[in-house]
Amino acid sequence: MKVVIVGGVAGGASTAARLRRMDEGAEIVMLERGPNISFANCGLPYHIGEVIKDRERLLVVTPEKLKEMLNIDSRVKNEVVKINRAEKFVMVRDLETNRTYEESYDKLVLSPGAAPIVPPLPGVNLPGVFTLRNLPDMDRIKAFVDEEKPARAVVVGGGFIGLEIAENLQHRGVQVTLIELLNQVMAPIDPEMAALVHQHLIFKKVRLALGDGLKSISTGEDGWLKVGLNSGRTVDAQMVILSIGVRPENRLAKEADLELGVRGTIRVNSHMQTSDPDIYAVGDVVEVINRITDEPTNMALAGPASRQGRMVADHITGRDVSFKGVVGTSVVKVFDLTVSAVGLNTHQLEQAEMEFMNVIVHVSNHAGYYPGASPMALKLLFSPEGKIFGAQAVGIEGVEKRIDVIATAMQAGMSVFDLEELELSYAPPFGSSRDPVNIVGFTAGNVLRGDAKVMHWDEVNQLDRNAMTVVDVRLPEELGLGMIDGAINIPLQGIRQHLNEIPKNRPVLLYCQTGQRSYFASRVLNQLGYDAYNLTGGYKTYSHAVGRQSNFDVFEHVTISSREEIKEILPTPSGAIAEVTVDACGLQCPGPILKLYNKIKEVNVGDIVTVQATDYGFTSDVEAWAQSTGNRLLSLDTEDGIIVAKIQKGAPKEAAGGVVMGKNKTLVIFSGDLDKALAGFIIANGVIASGNEAAMFFTFWGLNLLRKNEHVKVKKNLIERMFGWMLPRGTQRAKLSQMHMAGMGTAMIKGIMKKKNVDSLPQMIKTAMDNGVRIQACQMSMDLLGIKREELIDGIEVVGVATMLAASDDSNGVIFI
Ligand code: FAD
């Protein structure tokens, strides 16, 4: 039997090699148009970036070796130009001699791949404009970078290849502007997952233009390429790489009247036979069945090409084998990130009109206590019955391992509930006893069983805030990372004590940084009869997704003419400064921020704290935190995959409202009136915000505000009990000093405060305490009124007048209320 194979790389070479192993007597001829067979096209971007230094490593096998080892007749620079199906031969042109000859076949296998799309736009053929498919393309690009030493490049297209090229060019010191027509890079993943990639690209100083397309390329007077975009903007660059996708090389099939499929692919049956049973087709050029939708699609990935090649060889040699279809398992490295996905994403599920649900978890790749743990965001999409539709993950390590497990589960027909049960290997350096796959299974299982109700990041801004309470259950120290508008802060730790602040008559959206603590809180609330929802993926997913995605305009007016200029010059702080390092590696957000917060408290103004972290979410968090706390982010970079942030402690921020800097205050709260108490707390919180200290000394009727709202059983004598009945208990019973109007005025003012998002009195007390305001109860007044320590809210110091006087000595003012 004679088998002729068109194309000598992934699909073609796999077919040839397996054929020989299955049939020693077969005559195998492999015809390749290019100068190489079986080269590692997936490695091409990395040789440009000099990550793979040795070019030879990309040449997996040569025609000579293939002849020696497998007795395969492979001919490079031989292009098949025509198929004669009737007489079963192909016309071949020897590209070196230009001679054309016929090559007969019993079976023909087409594996011609897919070619980069070059849009019909002005200037796409100018020198300096490239595409990348094979070794000659790679050599041209690398030679240009080596010789011309370009300062700037434009990469058009934010898919796998575009991102790999962008990374590798930046690696070579070329500043990249990445242009992507969609509003996100990496189309296989959902926007909120892609947002993590955008932040990372920006962090790596890629200039990112999303939602904009290439319109034209021309050469300017300075010799640079002027890349015109649909938006009307122009980018100057010395080189342009077009990576906007591939189109199947279907010319031979089309001219031979073979049936075509979706997007110009060649239609094949499950044995990979075309409409002519003696002609097979494999690889990027074929139509395949999507195993989730059962619909035809195409999948330009090396794995399917190589497996199809092997399967075709088996079929040709008499085995009854078939290709089951694809689920689209993919992975790509984007600088320090790993981005991996399988199955359908939200857009595809919506297009297919398939009902689905989804959850997002933020988990560590391995036990957090073992050095080097790094976080990953893992999203699962599934049917209301628990069928797995797809998964996406973004992280640093162990990302593709989890997607591979889920991909296997999908292909085995397993459900969300099976993910909960999966037994996966575990030791601290590699995983957790509850693997991320189990955790995403538990989370989805909770939703399916009705144990947890979730909301998604894109629903938050559509909420009617008057119809829903939003509760942030993070610690106050974490709020510097930002909050959802209108949310109230009740840390999970205190949620049971603060239920009175959460109205029961309307739904509650709970969130924390990652969605885990808010899930715990939602369980508390739901069991108490609340209608509580958890924000899946937490504030981390929300803030990334709703934040700025492009940074194009940041560079709008910057001219960079040489490579040297694009290196950032770090501001060097002057004066005697101490430098301390905080190791926050392995901690998930907000861990690194909390460590930084505590260290900054210890050091002096001007000192530098270097934080090392592995949670890449820290890169955007630290910037926001530094900005909101008056500290200065000096630098942010990565060293060997570890994020290194240098923060210089700033002077305390000047408070709004003109509170004098550097002056402490003591407030004596004599009154228990609501309005006066509010005024007192507003001032105290303002003093703290200005970087000063505040103490509030509650005496006589003011003490009522510090009493718990609920009755506390304590031992009292008759007089004390009588006082106890007469005195209003806690903040809930505090009234306005004027216009109380039998409760109407007080209720009105509380309503207005809520509407205008002014913190309630209990919230202000809590904020003051969390911020470090010393809340002191006068021991003597407590004795007189018969108020016991147990009746006071937690965190109150019971002090004598001497303590109050000592505090006022340190103050430049004592305010009486
Ligand atoms: P190819 O491997 O492209 O081989 C087709 C060959 O056929 C070509 O060499 C072509 O010259 C030859 N040919 C075409 N027409 C003729 C003709 N008429 N006569 C003779 N020869 C002909 N996939 C992944 O899964 N992971 C990755 O990380 C990844 N990275 C990639 C990076 C780059 C830069 C590129 C270009 C591709 C990458 N891919 C990756 C995709 C993967 O390489 C392809 O899916 C796979 O090579 C497809 O195999 P194929 O045999 O269909 O086509």
Side-chain angles (χ1 to χ4, degrees):
M1 179 172 49
K2 180 174 175 187
V3 183
V4 172
I5 300 167
V6 183
V9 191
S14 304
T15 311
R18 176 73 176 174
L19 258 179
R20 174 56 70 232
R21 290 195 290 273
M22 300 307 289
D23 184 354
E24 188 54 28
E27 185 185 349
I28 306 168
V29 180
M30 189 167 80
L31 301 162
E32 167 57 52
R33 181 175 59 196
N36 311 96
I37 55 158
S38 199
F39 61 90
N41 30 17
C42 308
L44 303 179
Y46 298 97
H47 183 58
I48 295 170
E50 293 188 339
V51 177
I52 300 172
K53 291 201 165 52
D54 184 0
R55 185 183 184 279
E56 296 303 299
R57 301 292 299 270
L58 299 173
L59 296 164
V60 181
V61 74
T62 58
E64 297 72 34
K65 272 198 195 144
L66 211 56
K67 181 75 189 160
E68 253 169 54
M69 290 189 314
L70 294 170
N71 189 25
I72 289 168
D73 175 5
S74 54
R75 303 174 205 158
V76 292
K77 298 186 187 168
N78 274 256
E79 181 178 13
V80 177
V81 289
K82 199 174 165 90
I83 305 170
N84 187 327
R85 284 170 56 192
E87 293 171 53
K88 291 181 82 169
F89 69 84
V90 289
M91 292 290 295
V92 188
R93 180 175 298 128
D94 183 330
L95 298 176
E96 291 221 300
T97 60
N98 220 16
R99 180 180 70 95
T100 303
Y101 61 95
E102 290 176 8
E103 193 70 55
S104 65
Y105 65 82
D106 297 315
K107 301 286 177 195
L108 178 67
V109 181
L110 303 178
S111 186
I117 295 173
V118 179
L121 295 172
V124 290
N125 296 318
L126 282 171
V129 181
F130 304 92
T131 56
L132 177 62
R133 180 183 183 184
N134 49 32
L135 285 162
D137 294 340
M138 177 196 77
D139 291 337
R140 276 191 289 274
I141 297 173
K142 185 159 188 301
F144 190 90
V145 176
D146 291 346
E147 287 154 26
E148 304 295 324
K149 302 201 176 351
R152 278 192 170 193
V154 166
V155 174
V156 187
F160 296 93
I161 297 177
L163 289 171
E164 287 178 349
I165 296 174
E167 174 184 341
N168 281 286
L169 287 178
Q170 290 262 136
H171 203 232
R172 296 290 311 274
V174 187
Q175 212 233 352
V176 172
T177 301
L178 187 71
I179 316 271
E180 168 55 58
L181 195 59
L182 300 175
N183 286 322
Q184 67 167 82
V185 299
M186 282 295 294
I189 61 173
D190 287 337
E192 75 278 19
M193 302 295 281
L196 302 170
V197 185
H198 299 161
Q199 296 308 324
H200 192 65
L201 286 168
I202 291 169
F203 168 56
K204 290 290 176 181
K205 303 186 177 66
V206 173
R207 188 186 185 199
L208 193 56
L210 298 171
D212 211 343
L214 174 70
K215 196 173 176 198
S216 65
I217 309 172
S218 57
T219 312
E221 281 172 15
D222 52 5
W224 281 47
L225 296 169
K226 309 274 168 207
V227 184
L229 306 184
N230 290 340
S231 59
R233 297 185 289 198
T234 305
V235 188
D236 287 350
Q238 285 146 299
M239 64 188 297
V240 175
I241 313 267
L242 300 174
S243 51
I244 57 176
V246 293
R247 54 160 190 81
E249 289 231 34
N250 62 11
R251 190 185 58 80
L252 286 175
K254 216 172 170 177
E255 287 174 7
D257 265 342
L258 295 175
E259 197 182 332
L260 297 185
V262 293
R263 295 189 279 275
T265 49
I266 303 176
R267 179 153 291 162
V268 288
N269 64 15
S270 63
H271 307 301
M272 308 307 292
Q273 285 164 302
T274 65
S275 47
D276 178 338
D278 288 328
I279 304 180
Y280 292 77
V282 297
D284 288 358
V285 80
V286 296
E287 180 181 79
V288 283
I289 296 297
N290 182 311
R291 291 178 68 168
I292 306 150
T293 57
D294 272 337
E295 294 292 327
T297 184
N298 69 321
M299 191 66 62
L301 289 173
S306 134
R307 292 197 314 278
Q308 289 160 4
R310 181 185 157 98
M311 194 226 87
V312 160
D314 283 359
H315 196 257
I316 290 174
T317 50
R319 294 202 172 167
D320 184 18
V321 285
S322 54
F323 186 73
K324 293 193 179 70
V326 295
V327 289
T329 317
S330 64
V331 63
V332 66
K333 176 180 178 300
V334 185
F335 292 90
D336 300 338
L337 288 187
T338 309
V339 183
S340 187
V342 61
L344 302 183
N345 61 23
T346 295
H347 176 69
Q348 290 163 327
L349 285 163
E350 281 169 358
Q351 286 226 312
E353 295 180 2
M354 291 164 77
E355 201 185 340
F356 70 100
M357 303 164 125
N358 74 79
V359 292
I360 299 173
V361 294
H362 294 278
V363 280
S364 282
N365 66 324
H366 63 58
Y369 56 81
Y370 187 84
S374 60
M376 78 176 77
L378 178 56
K379 177 170 185 173
L380 192 72
L381 302 104
F382 48 94
S383 77
E385 294 75 40
K387 180 177 166 149
I388 308 166
F389 286 151
Q392 304 161 20
V394 179
I396 295 173
E397 274 180 14
V399 173
E400 71 294 347
K401 163 172 151 175
R402 272 64 194 213
I403 291 297
D404 283 345
V405 169
I406 297 173
T408 309
M410 285 170 73
Q411 290 167 82
M414 294 167 92
S415 72
V416 162
F417 306 110
D418 293 313
L419 297 187
E420 296 180 292
E421 297 284 323
L422 277 187
E423 185 183 319
L424 301 168
S425 61
Y426 160 62
F430 308 104
S432 301
S433 55
R434 289 161 161 232
D435 191 87
V437 173
N438 298 133
I439 291 174
V440 83
F442 297 147
T443 311
N446 285 338
V447 172
L448 289 171
R449 292 189 189 93
D451 295 338
K453 290 191 275 191
V454 287
M455 275 203 172
H456 303 96
W457 67 273
D458 50 347
E459 293 168 307
V460 172
N461 292 344
Q462 292 162 16
L463 291 179
D464 176 359
R465 294 303 161 83
N466 295 320
M468 190 155 207
T469 310
V470 183
V471 183
D472 183 328
V473 302
R474 294 175 299 173
L475 291 168
E477 298 90 292
E478 296 171 66
L479 304 185
L481 299 172
M483 282 177 88
I484 292 177
D485 281 351
I488 56 169
N489 177 225
I490 305 176
L492 171 68
Q493 289 81 340
I495 199 129
R496 292 177 181 85
Q497 290 74 44
H498 289 267
L499 291 169
N500 57 342
E501 291 162 38
I502 310 173
K504 218 170 180 176
N505 57 355
R506 55 187 201 170
V508 186
L509 172 64
L510 297 147
Y511 74 90
C512 63
Q513 191 63 18
T514 63
Q516 190 188 28
R517 284 171 290 171
S518 44
Y519 161 63
F520 299 156
S522 79
R523 290 299 298 154
V524 174
L525 263 57
N526 280 331
Q527 289 184 64
L528 293 173
Y530 283 84
D531 182 19
Y533 294 78
N534 182 24
L535 177 63
T536 193
Y539 189 74
K540 195 170 182 173
T541 293
Y542 171 82
S543 58
H544 277 95
V546 301
R548 215 174 121 79
Q549 306 297 318
S550 282
N551 65 339
F552 187 85
D553 47 339
V554 173
F555 296 84
E556 197 80 273
H557 305 291
V558 180
T559 315
I560 297 172
S561 54
S562 75
R563 283 175 179 229
E564 281 61 43
E565 284 175 50
I566 65 174
K567 290 207 182 91
E568 260 199 332
I569 300 152
L570 292 182
T572 33
S574 55
I577 44 162
E579 284 205 50
V580 283
T581 299
V582 173
D583 180 6
C585 292
L587 293 181
Q588 269 224 44
C589 194
I593 286 289
L594 293 181
K595 276 206 143 188
L596 168 62
Y597 169 81
N598 286 324
K599 187 51 77 184
I600 283 278
K601 276 202 299 199
E602 286 170 20
V603 301
N604 297 318
V605 171
D607 287 351
I608 294 173
V609 178
T610 301
V611 187
Q612 297 170 333
T614 43
D615 181 350
Y616 57 88
F618 181 65
T619 57
S620 53
D621 289 348
V622 69
E623 210 164 342
W625 183 86
Q627 227 169 36
S628 74
T629 52
N631 298 295
R632 188 167 164 225
L633 182 64
L634 295 180
S635 69
L636 186 58
D637 227 318
T638 46
E639 286 168 17
D640 299 330
I642 293 177
I643 299 152
V644 182
K646 273 185 193 290
I647 300 102
Q648 187 174 35
K649 178 163 176 165
K653 269 193 151 181
E654 200 163 329
V659 178
V660 186
M661 300 265 298
K663 308 285 193 252
N664 301 338
K665 293 272 182 285
T666 297
L667 291 93
V668 179
I669 313 289
F670 180 81
S671 162
D673 293 335
L674 176 68
D675 43 349
K676 294 179 183 170
L678 287 172
F681 279 100
I682 290 169
I683 295 170
N685 282 327
V687 173
I688 291 287
S690 70
N692 300 306
E693 289 172 16
M696 297 177 84
F697 183 77
F698 288 78
T699 184
F700 280 92
W701 318 125
L703 282 172
N704 293 329
L705 298 166
L706 300 186
R707 293 177 71 193
K708 290 176 181 155
N709 288 316
E710 64 276 15
H711 175 68
V712 180
K713 244 185 160 178
V714 278
K715 230 177 157 187
K716 288 188 180 186
N717 63 32
L718 182 67
I719 304 283
E720 286 172 341
R721 278 213 301 275
M722 281 171 68
F723 259 124
W725 294 327
M726 289 186 294
L727 293 172
R729 198 174 55 220
T731 49
Q732 271 179 2
R733 291 177 181 80
K735 303 173 188 163
L736 285 179
S737 60
Q738 291 180 29
M739 290 173 60
H740 174 59
M741 299 185 297
M744 231 169 74
T746 301
M748 274 166 68
I749 200 85
K750 283 185 180 173
I752 294 168
M753 283 168 64
K754 189 172 265 176
K755 210 165 167 191
K756 300 209 173 242
N757 281 331
V758 175
D759 278 349
S760 62
L761 181 57
Q763 186 60 33
M764 278 198 200
I765 297 177
K766 201 191 141 302
T767 310
M769 287 166 116
D770 292 342
N771 286 342
V773 175
R774 292 178 68 184
I775 311 280
Q776 301 169 330
C778 171
Q779 177 74 68
M780 196 196 70
S781 314
M782 283 173 65
D783 290 346
L784 282 178
L785 300 175
I787 298 173
K788 307 290 171 194
R789 183 183 276 269
E790 295 88 320
E791 289 179 89
L792 300 184
I793 56 176
D794 296 338
I796 307 293
E797 293 175 67
V798 177
V799 298
V801 180
T803 310
M804 185 274 277
L805 291 175
S808 65
D809 280 350
D810 291 339
S811 310
N812 82 330
V814 179
I815 300 166
F816 284 89
I817 293 178

